[in-house]
Amino acid sequence: MLALALPSHAQPTIGQISGQAVYSLTQQLLTVAPKRFNGSPGHFAAEKFIADHFKPEAAKGNFEKDEFTVNTPAGPQTMRNYIAKFPGKKDGIIVLASHYETNYPLREINFVGANDGACTTALLISIGQYLRAHPPQGYSVWLVFDDGEEAVQQWTANNGHDNLYGTRHLAAKWYTDGTDRRIKAFIVADMIGDKDLNIFQEQNSTPWLRDILHQAAANTHHAANLAKQDGYEEDDHLPFLQRGVPSLDVIDIDYGPHTASQPDGHHHTPQDTIDKISPHSLQVSADLFLEMIRLINQR
């Protein structure tokens, strides 16, 4: 466990972002873009929703659309990552990422992904609003809204690469142009609006960043929201880990009751709706992410 004492003048960043505001923003996103699978009207609506919240950054040249086309089991698909950049005063970048699209194979059912993509997109937008009012004093912070995290057919299709399209593309791009060497930490937010929030101990993640998460939870009095369960999760952090970038997956994989008909709980079912997440859990998540930024800057 990371032993990191707080300087007397430094206070944990508790309550700087309103969980209720993140929840309301999630509701707004679900209203304009309930289904966000690639190529759908909702997918384009979600992209516009994200872009509309970063017009001040776009005006400064700090909002980027990263468009690419990939071969999928459903044929070539064009996808787009969006990056909002908040320049800091130290040389280096902390990247926070979340996917915004919904699962393509579930396009025929009423799957809206309130927890799986919508609330973490809202969380990153809210972090952006906070950073606009409180510019980073340490490392720059980049917010990545990545596309194509979900499989187009099934996770293991396409020679095992029917997944993580957006971050695989971005990791390769940033490796080529040298951006990855400036990244101090790449942190993914996934499914952390769950009313019963228990953040998984994800073992693929970089050990010192797992320690940072634990310290952030202790500092913000949210240690009870870290689950004792550990294991390995394939998520948007893997392409960056594979290229040597310190990376962390902040995810609650135990979402809803597990039954014979729904062995994975609410995950990838029509039950992943707004009533399954809570402002309180989003408050916890917002506190943790802001505190992790502060702690990484102290290293």
Side-chain angles (χ1 to χ4, degrees):
M1 188 67 62
L2 182 69
L4 184 56
L6 291 174
S8 58
H9 65 277
Q11 297 297 321
T13 46
I14 303 171
Q16 299 296 311
I17 293 173
S18 162
Q20 182 61 55
V22 181
Y23 184 85
S24 297
L25 199 58
T26 305
Q27 288 180 309
Q28 293 171 35
L29 175 56
L30 290 173
T31 298
V32 301
K35 291 188 174 186
R36 303 176 300 283
F37 60 88
N38 194 41
S40 68
H43 190 258
F44 292 111
E47 293 177 282
K48 184 178 185 301
F49 185 86
I50 293 166
D52 282 350
H53 281 87
F54 291 99
K55 288 181 178 178
E57 286 65 46
K60 297 177 181 178
N62 289 331
F63 185 72
E64 175 185 342
K65 177 172 71 173
D66 172 40
E67 184 171 294
F68 58 101
T69 300
V70 290
N71 291 318
T72 78
Q77 291 192 356
T78 298
M79 301 181 182
R80 286 163 289 274
N81 299 318
Y82 290 88
I83 303 107
K85 302 178 180 180
F86 294 87
K89 296 184 176 179
K90 293 168 62 177
D91 184 22
I93 306 162
I94 299 170
V95 180
L96 311 181
S98 173
H99 77 95
Y100 64 90
E101 92 287 11
T102 50
N103 190 291
Y104 190 83
L106 303 182
R107 63 194 180 279
E108 303 298 336
I109 69 170
N110 191 29
F111 174 68
V112 302
N115 191 35
D116 195 1
C119 73
T120 46
T121 299
L123 174 64
L124 260 61
I125 291 173
S126 297
I127 291 173
Q129 292 168 338
Y130 172 83
L131 293 172
R132 187 180 302 140
H134 305 86
Q137 298 303 298
Y139 298 122
S140 297
V141 179
W142 291 8
L143 307 176
V144 171
F145 300 84
D146 63 86
D147 202 357
E149 186 266 354
E150 301 281 15
V152 171
Q153 183 182 82
Q154 61 180 7
W155 196 267
T156 56
N158 202 18
N159 294 316
H161 291 102
D162 187 22
N163 53 60
L164 311 182
Y165 291 100
T167 52
R168 282 195 288 113
H169 167 80
L170 197 58
K173 177 180 178 179
W174 284 351
Y175 176 81
T176 300
D177 69 16
T179 298
D180 70 331
R181 291 186 285 280
R182 297 180 58 214
I183 300 175
K184 302 301 180 181
F186 184 92
I187 306 177
V188 173
D190 198 358
M191 298 177 65
I192 49 175
D194 183 3
K195 277 185 175 179
D196 181 23
L197 183 61
N198 288 287
I199 295 170
F200 189 57
Q201 307 285 331
E202 205 289 309
Q203 299 298 298
N204 279 320
S205 298
T206 303
W208 71 260
L209 277 171
R210 297 204 308 265
D211 290 344
I212 286 279
L213 173 60
H214 278 268
Q215 188 64 56
N219 290 355
T220 56
H221 312 295
H222 297 318
N225 294 107
L226 299 189
K228 294 181 180 179
Q229 181 185 9
D230 64 17
Y232 299 87
E233 190 70 16
E234 296 183 20
D235 208 347
D236 270 326
H237 62 318
L238 291 187
F240 284 88
L241 275 173
Q242 290 161 358
R243 293 184 182 274
V245 176
S247 303
L248 174 70
D249 190 21
V250 184
I251 184 171
D252 178 356
I253 62 168
D254 187 16
Y255 179 40
H258 302 270
T259 64
S261 60
Q262 291 185 187
D264 291 328
H266 301 320
H267 183 229
H268 286 175
T269 73
Q271 282 68 52
D272 183 4
T273 47
I274 190 75
D275 57 302
K276 308 304 190 309
I277 67 175
S278 76
H280 174 73
S281 293
L282 293 169
Q283 183 71 66
V284 171
S285 297
D287 291 349
L288 290 175
F289 270 75
L290 288 187
E291 182 64 5
M292 284 191 289
I293 292 171
R294 195 182 69 80
L295 292 173
I296 291 167
N297 275 306
Q298 285 189 347
R299 290 186 87 239

